[in-house]
Amino acid sequence: MNTYKENEFIKVVGVFLPTILREIKKHENPIQSFFEAFTNSLESIKINKEKKGVNEVDSVISLNIYFTKNILSEKEFQKFVIEDDGIGFNNEQFTRFTTLKDNRKGFHNKGSGRIQYVHCFGRCEFNSVFEEEGKYFERSFTISKSPAYLDKDSVIKHNYTKEIEAKKSGTVLILSDLLIQDDAKKLTISISNLKIELLKRYLRYFCSHRETLPRIILNEYVDETLTNTIEITKDEIPVPDKTEPFQVHYSTILTQNAEITKLDETEDFELLSFKINKTNLDQNSISLVSKDELVDNKDFKLKFKFLSPDESLENMRYLVLISSNYLNAKDCDTRGNLSIVKREYFSKSDDLFSVGRKEILFEDIEDNVDEIIDRIYPEISIKSIEKSNKIDEIRKLFLFNDEVLQHLSISLNDTEDKIIQKLHIAESKISAKRDTEIFNQMNSLKNLDPADKNFDTNLTSTIEKLTKEIPIQNRTALTHYVARRKIILELFEKVLDRKLLVQNDGSRNNDEQLLHNILFQQSATNPNSSDLWLINEDFIYFKGTSESLIKDIEINGEKIIKDKLTDEEEVYIKALDENRLLKRTDILLFPDEGKCIIIELKNPNVNVSEHLNQISRYATLLRNLTKDKFAFDTFYGYLIGEKIDAEDVRDFDSDFKHAPHFDYVFRPKKDIVGKNGRSDGSLYTEVIKYTTLLKRAKKRNEIFIEKLNINGDFQLLEDSDPDDLPF
């Protein structure tokens, strides 16, 4: 029965082993060896059912990771042991195992998994029990790529095969003695994480065999002591949400250097999709599946058009698996390396052998998948449209231009705060790049040699680059300036339209206070940080104060009211049982020596005509009670409200006249009485609506926006390199 001798090296016939070992490269992640072993166990149990009728659900696969603790009590990988009660390595299975590149094994397997074992481990030992003709035998063999094996044209050593007493078949594989110690870090994985990896990688297989899976048990040992045991159960395997068959057309090149042509011939594919709670699925993904395993190859990664890996919709993430016999046939020796052609390389192929060759192109698979996902999950594209509209609203509000949007990656789950943050960071990167270019050009000036015959040309080139970059940078800064003003105008308009929540909460009307604080924060003393440009662009450059008692008003830190008043002045300020120095002006500005601007704001519901004398009274107090160095004689008054009728104003004071442009009335001059030796002053006054101010300011800002030429549409972009993103 046994044709192999004890301690016999099994020679490989017809191949040169060093070449095979170079061709089948070590997988970048050594955990691939675990997956290869697990796949083999699944296959062994499957064959046992087909050959012996053993029910899969009664079978067991046990994956055991052994660790040791170092002097720092840290776990270090020692070995991996996998046990199954599959068919075992009977003569048929062992013969196939000893034949490299044998694709008769079934399950679309080309038998290259054993090469991954020897690439990673110095000791790969199999102990297998199998049944032949009603008797049980134990077979022990090892595989290695050490010189002791290769010198004998072998990677397999048969240790022994002997008859034993047993009740069932199965195999134990021990992988130990790492060849590359750096692999130990990747293999120091908890069984909980290994379970997650298995669920992700074999999801397609688990789902299609959900009711017939063997028990899958994971054990963790530390210093040979069992410390933890977990199991993969049927309840942990999600049920597919959608199953969609589709077909992909073959492509060909009919003649040399010709364009790609689609053929009528197709291959069958299947899309299997899952909606899984985000706590159980860390990322959205679309994966090709080959031989019931996910294809872990970055060259064949598919992406959702409108869904980034980390985001979720209603706490659910999406997993999409694409399978086909075509993909199985295209799998190479290193599992997961598909020989699928991409359009770019196919179209550039100009050798004679490519003419007439037919291929399924990766991009055609991708296009079909995109179309199906759009159809079966409309909520994703709807959410994308909603997010695009929100981004467009923010773009228009802050006046971000197209260039910024082209450097932006937005997630459907991004909040408005996050979107604004990303927009500013993207813009700052562009700005930094331009600043660097300007800096480099400025530095290059010192390298110019006036004696060089090309001096004029080089100088002109440098100047052209500078004159190109500097205005763009200036425009960026100006855009922020204009965008802020645009926001202030929208806020001002919302207050006038009573659309703020605070205006509709049932509390008393505070519209005047809201408008006041927008224009110039109450109790503030720095017009430069105000928004008085709404009234007049020049006002932000003057000294001034907001909502101050007359007695407390200062210029450059010095109070303007006299330190000591005469008896007549004392009588004046306290006439009619009031203290006129305790009157509170809304806004005072001091543009120049002897000049004062008085701005009074009224609630939009108040009839402004009834308050025409308020500014002149303040002007009279300031004309007569200020120190000599602040003796104001020229006043400009602005009485601002909304309930204004020009004829009503003129009925109260006929000196007011209609302005030739815009909707306001003005009084060119009114005498302000001088007392105690001071001459009369003069007061110019405007009575104007808040809506008129808004109209003026909007017009000015629109002209800025038009000059900046800020426009453009955009769409959500795929994720950029995470290293380039600030989140």
Side-chain angles (χ1 to χ4, degrees), residues 221-399:
Y221 294 82
V222 178
D223 293 331
E224 300 297 325
T225 300
L226 180 64
T227 57
N228 193 15
T229 298
I230 57 176
E231 190 168 342
I232 295 176
T233 65
K234 181 178 74 172
D235 293 339
E236 294 173 293
I237 300 168
V239 177
D241 181 56
K242 307 278 186 183
T243 302
E244 293 282 333
F246 64 98
Q247 294 180 321
V248 181
H249 287 267
Y250 276 93
S251 294
T252 190
I253 298 176
L254 297 176
T255 59
Q256 196 169 358
N257 298 321
E259 293 182 354
I260 296 173
T261 301
K262 284 269 180 69
L263 299 174
D264 291 335
E265 185 179 354
T266 61
E267 283 283 354
D268 292 329
F269 284 74
E270 183 180 70
L271 181 149
L272 201 64
S273 64
F274 303 82
K275 289 175 70 172
I276 302 172
N277 191 282
K278 66 179 183 180
T279 58
N280 299 322
L281 185 65
D282 59 348
Q283 287 192 327
N284 301 297
S285 66
I286 305 173
S287 296
L288 301 179
V289 175
S290 171
K291 305 174 186 177
D292 286 320
E293 288 189 42
L294 301 189
V295 174
D296 186 17
N297 187 319
K298 63 183 180 181
D299 291 331
F300 299 109
K301 290 288 186 185
L302 294 92
K303 292 182 179 180
F304 288 93
K305 283 195 300 184
F306 302 121
L307 206 59
S308 70
D310 296 330
E311 60 195 331
S312 59
L313 293 180
E314 297 181 352
N315 293 320
M316 305 298 283
R317 291 198 174 101
Y318 297 78
L319 173 66
V320 176
L321 305 177
I322 312 300
S323 58
S324 170
N325 286 331
Y326 180 83
L327 297 178
N328 296 333
K330 286 291 185 176
D331 207 332
C332 301
D333 287 325
T334 303
R335 195 187 299 267
N337 281 349
L338 300 180
S339 57
I340 299 179
V341 179
K342 291 192 173 183
R343 184 174 289 120
E344 177 186 3
Y345 302 106
F346 196 48
S347 62
K348 289 182 178 179
S349 182
D350 58 1
D351 59 274
L352 292 174
F353 296 103
S354 67
V355 175
R357 191 181 87 201
K358 61 181 183 180
E359 295 283 355
I360 296 289
L361 301 184
F362 174 75
E363 289 83 1
D364 290 335
I365 299 174
E366 194 172 34
D367 290 344
N368 276 273
V369 171
D370 286 344
E371 184 275 325
I372 293 172
I373 291 174
D374 284 349
R375 174 166 48 83
I376 64 176
Y377 293 120
E379 68 267 26
I380 297 178
S381 56
I382 290 172
K383 195 75 174 177
S384 167
I385 293 169
E386 291 175 356
K387 183 60 69 174
S388 292
N389 290 339
K390 176 57 66 175
I391 297 170
D392 196 44
E393 180 184 338
I394 293 172
R395 178 188 71 82
K396 290 176 180 176
L397 181 61
F398 292 101
L399 305 180

Side-chain angles (χ1 to χ4, degrees), residues 308-549:
S308 70
D310 296 330
E311 60 195 331
S312 59
L313 293 180
E314 297 181 352
N315 293 320
M316 305 298 283
R317 291 198 174 101
Y318 297 78
L319 173 66
V320 176
L321 305 177
I322 312 300
S323 58
S324 170
N325 286 331
Y326 180 83
L327 297 178
N328 296 333
K330 286 291 185 176
D331 207 332
C332 301
D333 287 325
T334 303
R335 195 187 299 267
N337 281 349
L338 300 180
S339 57
I340 299 179
V341 179
K342 291 192 173 183
R343 184 174 289 120
E344 177 186 3
Y345 302 106
F346 196 48
S347 62
K348 289 182 178 179
S349 182
D350 58 1
D351 59 274
L352 292 174
F353 296 103
S354 67
V355 175
R357 191 181 87 201
K358 61 181 183 180
E359 295 283 355
I360 296 289
L361 301 184
F362 174 75
E363 289 83 1
D364 290 335
I365 299 174
E366 194 172 34
D367 290 344
N368 276 273
V369 171
D370 286 344
E371 184 275 325
I372 293 172
I373 291 174
D374 284 349
R375 174 166 48 83
I376 64 176
Y377 293 120
E379 68 267 26
I380 297 178
S381 56
I382 290 172
K383 195 75 174 177
S384 167
I385 293 169
E386 291 175 356
K387 183 60 69 174
S388 292
N389 290 339
K390 176 57 66 175
I391 297 170
D392 196 44
E393 180 184 338
I394 293 172
R395 178 188 71 82
K396 290 176 180 176
L397 181 61
F398 292 101
L399 305 180
F400 287 102
N401 61 32
D402 291 345
E403 186 177 7
V404 173
L405 297 170
Q406 290 166 5
H407 292 76
L408 192 64
S409 173
I410 295 293
S411 160
L412 294 184
N413 288 337
D414 281 345
T415 62
E416 284 83 353
D417 288 349
K418 178 63 75 173
I419 293 170
I420 293 169
Q421 187 181 69
K422 287 184 178 182
L423 283 162
H424 278 287
I425 291 174
E427 185 180 57
S428 69
K429 289 183 178 181
I430 296 170
S431 181
K433 184 177 179 181
R434 288 200 180 112
D435 281 347
T436 301
E437 181 63 26
I438 292 170
F439 179 78
N440 291 337
Q441 292 301 323
M442 292 298 294
N443 268 347
S444 69
L445 288 173
K446 64 184 180 183
N447 297 321
L448 296 177
D449 181 3
D452 189 335
K453 65 178 182 179
N454 296 319
F455 172 72
D456 287 339
T457 302
N458 295 336
L459 179 61
T460 300
S461 174
T462 301
I463 291 173
E464 284 178 352
K465 290 178 181 178
L466 281 171
T467 53
K468 176 185 176 183
E469 294 295 337
I470 290 175
I472 293 176
Q473 286 298 72
N474 290 344
R475 188 178 72 172
T476 299
L478 184 57
T479 298
H480 285 297
Y481 180 77
V482 174
R484 185 193 177 282
R485 289 191 166 197
K486 188 172 183 287
I487 295 169
I488 293 298
L489 290 170
E490 291 198 12
L491 178 60
F492 197 81
E493 187 170 20
K494 287 183 185 297
V495 173
L496 291 176
D497 293 338
R498 296 193 57 77
K499 290 184 178 180
L500 299 188
L501 293 178
V502 71
Q503 294 174 286
N504 297 281
D505 61 1
S507 59
R508 70 181 183 85
N509 188 302
N510 61 348
D511 295 0
E512 179 186 341
Q513 181 183 7
L514 293 172
L515 294 165
H516 189 143
N517 282 324
I518 291 174
L519 289 167
F520 192 4
Q521 191 73 30
Q522 291 176 315
S523 302
T525 58
N526 182 15
N528 187 254
S529 60
S530 75
D531 288 291
L532 288 169
W533 53 268
L534 269 158
I535 304 173
N536 188 299
E537 289 287 349
D538 293 336
F539 285 3
I540 62 175
Y541 303 113
F542 303 150
K543 296 181 179 67
T545 183
S546 175
E547 193 72 10
S548 297
L549 296 175

Side-chain angles (χ1 to χ4, degrees), residues 552-609:
D552 295 328
I553 297 170
E554 297 181 349
I555 296 179
N556 296 330
E558 182 180 352
K559 289 187 177 181
I560 65 173
I561 298 299
K562 295 176 181 179
D563 295 325
K564 187 175 181 180
L565 300 176
T566 65
D567 292 341
E568 292 84 353
E569 289 168 339
E570 288 284 356
V571 171
Y572 169 58
I573 65 171
K574 294 179 181 179
L576 301 176
D577 295 325
E578 62 181 358
N579 188 340
R580 292 171 179 172
L581 289 183
L582 296 182
K583 289 187 178 294
R584 193 182 296 273
T585 58
D586 283 343
I587 298 171
L588 290 182
L589 301 173
F590 310 108
D592 204 352
E593 185 177 339
K595 294 181 180 179
C596 178
I597 298 171
I598 304 171
I599 301 172
E600 282 300 309
L601 309 172
K602 296 302 169 189
N603 191 291
N605 293 327
V606 169
N607 184 351
V608 175
S609 299

Side-chain angles (χ1 to χ4, degrees), residues 644-663:
I644 298 173
D645 179 83
E647 293 306 318
D648 190 48
V649 171
R650 298 194 73 220
D651 287 347
F652 274 87
D653 188 337
S654 60
D655 289 336
F656 277 92
K657 304 180 183 302
H658 290 282
H661 303 290
F662 291 111
D663 180 22

